[in-house]
Each structure stands twice: as structure tokens, then as C-alpha cells.
Amino acid sequence: KDVRKVVRSMHHVLRSDPCRRFTFGFTVENVNMRMWFAGRSAVFVTTPFNFMTEHELLISFVLSFVYTKPEELGWDPTITRQQIQ
């Protein structure tokens, strides 16, 4: 169920925003966590890791989002939106 939900959510993000080149996500089951990357043509997922014992990976994951530019998070600044009248 979780796999289907996260893939559907990432698909929705990419479909609803043409300025997005890719998106990220994560799933948590008990103490196991997996990170997800979805581009326009592929989906990649990490192997599960225990975020209680391997908390360095979780901290690195969170900090990488906090200290990054919007372009590095998947937004394409070369695409402009136009209003349909």
C-alpha cells in the first residue's frame, strides 16, 4: 500500500506542475525508512534503513533539503507559466 501511495503522490506532483523535473519522497514503516526519487521517466528507491540506529542518513536527508536551491530540488527556472484566457 505504501509503495502505491508514494508513487501516486509523486506522479501527481509531476503531473500538476510542469516546472518540476523530478521530485523526492520517503516512506516510514516502524523504524525502517526508504527514500524515493521520481523523474519524468524513472523511479528510484533506496534499500530500507533503520533511522533509529542509522540516524546519520536521516539527518543528511533532511539537511540536504534545508540547504539546497530550488533548482536542485527539481524546479526548472527556464520554464515559464502562461495564463490561459
Side-chain angles (χ1 to χ4, degrees):
K1 285 184 176 182
D2 289 339
V3 172
R4 192 174 283 166
K5 287 179 184 178
V6 75
V7 170
R8 183 173 180 259
S9 295
M10 290 190 297
H11 172 74
H12 176 72
V13 167
L14 291 173
R15 184 187 66 206
S16 63
D17 189 358
C19 296
R20 289 296 291 247
R21 292 179 287 163
F22 53 85
T23 188
F24 296 95
F26 64 93
T27 54
V28 177
E29 296 178 18
N30 296 325
V31 295
N32 291 319
M33 182 176 185
R34 296 195 308 181
M35 293 175 237
W36 298 73
F37 171 88
R40 296 273 177 198
S41 61
V43 175
F44 298 99
V45 62
T46 63
T47 55
F49 67 94
N50 184 325
F51 66 86
M52 296 298 283
T53 60
E54 300 175 79
H55 53 273
E56 300 90 10
L57 291 173
L58 176 61
I59 293 169
S60 176
F61 177 71
V62 171
L63 289 178
S64 67
F65 284 102
V66 173
Y67 294 108
T68 191
K69 299 175 190 171
E71 296 86 20
E72 295 170 341
L73 287 174
W75 278 280
D76 188 349
T78 62
I79 298 175
T80 58
R81 295 181 184 191
Q82 294 181 355
Q83 294 282 339
I84 298 176
Q85 298 177 359

